Amino acid sequence: MLTEKDFIITKYTSIETASFEWSAPSNIALVKYWGKKSHQIPANPSISFTLNNCKTITKLAVSKKEKNTSFSFELLFEGKPKEEFKPKIQKFLERIAPYCPYIKEYHLAIDTQNTFPHSSGIASSASGMATLAMNIMSLEKKLNPSITEAYFHKKASFLARLGSGSACRSITGKVVIWGKHQETPNSSDLFGIPFSDLHPIFTNYQDTILLVDKGEKQVSSTVGHDLMHNHPFAEKRFEQAHKNLTEVKNILSTGNLTEFIKIVESEALTLHAMMMTSMPYFILMKPNTLEIINRIWKFRNETNTPVCFTLDAGANVHILYPENVSEKVLDFIKNELVGYCQNGQYICDEIGKGALAI
């Protein structure tokens, strides 16, 4: 089992310049991670679908510096300087420096863009930090060609986690488990591992994201996670997550859609219940979120279509369904749900394979 020390590189060569480019998708958790310990360690394990279309594309150009006393980087977001993103990049570089000491020896030119609208209410930190981690690992591979592909991806997931916890689930696909789970061999709090025992019904699962509220959340995920430290229901929630992960793994292997729907929707509502019962308490769902949920329940009951919802830490609704009912579900979305979306916007996505070199 890899430990933090295994990710510290001590021997590496030097290069003058190099450039790399990667894409990495966002992901949507089925069993939610909410609450974290120090050093970006999750309070409970989680499992997620890796998405395909909602992704970040990042180019990294590196050039050798004369002095390596501090971090040096510039950042373009969709072709323009983005000063407000710089503190998060700075913090990320500070966190990974013990494991990637070479990072101070180079000036980093980061050019990044999303395939989905920024501030659309879709978390871009997962995809953004995953692409940056993959680019940095490409640099490390240049400096130390002997590292294996397996190590490359594990360390990329490890580094991505230090930028944004859920980013470690965006490196590989189609389904990823993050967090130590007694019934999952090789599971780790340090990085995500792929779950490959998928029933065919899940290999091309669909996710249509209804953009209910594109504004910035009134409570950041970081603050929300911290509120779990003194939460009256925290320990029971963590126990529930372990149990649900065991059940979801079995469901994903057997293709039991009825049980899949029950756990996925329960997990989404439990996540928001934790927010509503913390101190201070907060609500990230909007009235239209609830309208959509009720419409989904009504549609499912009336048509027996295996469609369900999940939620991130926000107001938007992810509608999950098998590919073989796509036509029926998309008609339902267009006819009944678009009116609850901000400016009628929604994004059609599906299960994907993780980060890709470009």
Side-chain angles (χ1 to χ4, degrees), residues 23 26 43 50 68 85 100 109 114 132 140 219 260 307 312 316 329:
S23 72
S26 189
T50 308
N68 59 359
F85 285 2
C100 309
N114 294 331
L132 194 50
E140 184 166 313
V219 177
F260 177 80
V307 58
D312 250 336
N316 296 334
V329 174

Side-chain angles (χ1 to χ4, degrees), residues 11-289:
K11 295 180 180 179
Y12 52 91
T13 60
S14 180
I15 57 174
E16 288 302 312
T17 62
S19 60
F20 318 98
E21 186 172 9
W22 284 86
S23 72
S26 189
N27 64 76
I28 181 66
L30 306 174
V31 172
K32 309 294 183 180
Y33 129 74
W34 196 245
K36 60 185 173 185
K37 306 169 189 176
S38 58
H39 306 297
Q40 297 288 91
I41 298 298
N44 67 265
S46 58
I47 187 168
S48 61
F49 277 157
T50 308
L51 298 181
N52 186 54
N53 302 329
C54 291
K55 58 190 175 185
T56 299
I57 300 167
T58 301
K59 297 176 184 177
L60 176 66
V62 300
S63 52
K64 185 78 170 174
K65 297 188 303 181
E66 289 186 10
K67 296 181 179 180
N68 59 359
T69 54
S70 62
F71 302 110
S72 173
F73 68 94
E74 58 189 279
L75 175 69
L76 294 179
F77 177 70
E78 297 184 348
K80 298 177 182 178
K82 197 77 170 177
E83 291 299 316
E84 59 262 44
F85 285 2
K86 282 192 167 182
K88 191 160 189 175
I89 302 296
Q90 177 74 23
K91 183 180 284 188
F92 173 65
L93 295 176
E94 290 169 0
R95 285 175 174 173
I96 70 170
Y99 312 99
C100 309
Y102 53 82
I103 210 75
K104 286 187 177 180
E105 299 177 19
Y106 296 91
H107 175 73
L108 312 177
I110 304 164
D111 187 352
T112 188
Q113 60 181 319
N114 294 331
T115 60
F116 50 92
H118 182 59
S119 296
S120 64
I122 297 174
S124 57
S125 57
S127 54
M129 287 300 174
T131 54
L132 194 50
M134 294 303 282
N135 277 295
I136 288 168
M137 283 308 297
S138 290
L139 171 60
E140 184 166 313
K141 179 77 171 174
K142 277 271 190 186
L143 302 177
N144 183 5
S146 66
I147 64 174
T148 65
E149 185 176 346
Y151 177 86
F152 182 106
H153 284 88
K154 279 190 172 69
K155 185 168 180 179
S157 181
F158 172 86
L159 297 178
R161 188 196 95 246
L162 296 175
S164 172
S166 60
C168 75
R169 299 190 309 239
S170 286
I171 301 298
T172 55
K174 300 179 173 184
V175 175
V176 178
I177 295 171
W178 170 41
K180 188 63 183 171
H181 181 241
Q182 191 170 357
E183 296 181 37
T184 303
N186 302 316
S187 59
S188 173
D189 289 336
L190 302 179
F191 49 83
I193 62 169
F195 175 77
S196 55
D197 187 20
L198 278 183
H199 186 277
I201 195 73
F202 290 114
T203 57
N204 57 359
Y205 227 67
Q206 305 294 296
D207 178 7
T208 298
I209 307 160
L210 305 187
L211 304 181
V212 173
D213 182 16
K214 294 165 59 179
E216 190 172 329
K217 292 182 296 191
Q218 70 266 37
V219 177
S220 73
S221 293
T222 299
V223 171
H225 282 295
D226 287 345
L227 291 175
M228 288 296 283
H229 289 306
N230 299 308
H231 199 292
F233 308 133
E235 291 308 314
K236 283 296 181 184
R237 164 57 199 154
F238 301 148
E239 287 176 22
Q240 179 195 46
H242 279 268
K243 178 174 176 288
N244 282 348
L245 178 50
T246 298
E247 293 186 19
V248 165
K249 284 174 57 185
N250 183 57
I251 288 164
L252 291 173
S253 299
T254 59
N256 188 330
L257 294 183
T258 301
E259 292 304 310
F260 177 80
I261 288 168
K262 286 179 185 176
I263 291 187
V264 167
E265 291 190 342
S266 171
E267 275 285 319
L269 295 174
T270 299
L271 170 66
H272 285 260
M274 293 298 103
M275 300 172 194
M276 289 188 271
T277 51
S278 63
M279 188 60 74
Y281 42 81
F282 57 100
I283 299 174
L284 295 185
M285 285 190 280
K286 300 292 184 183
N288 281 1
T289 308

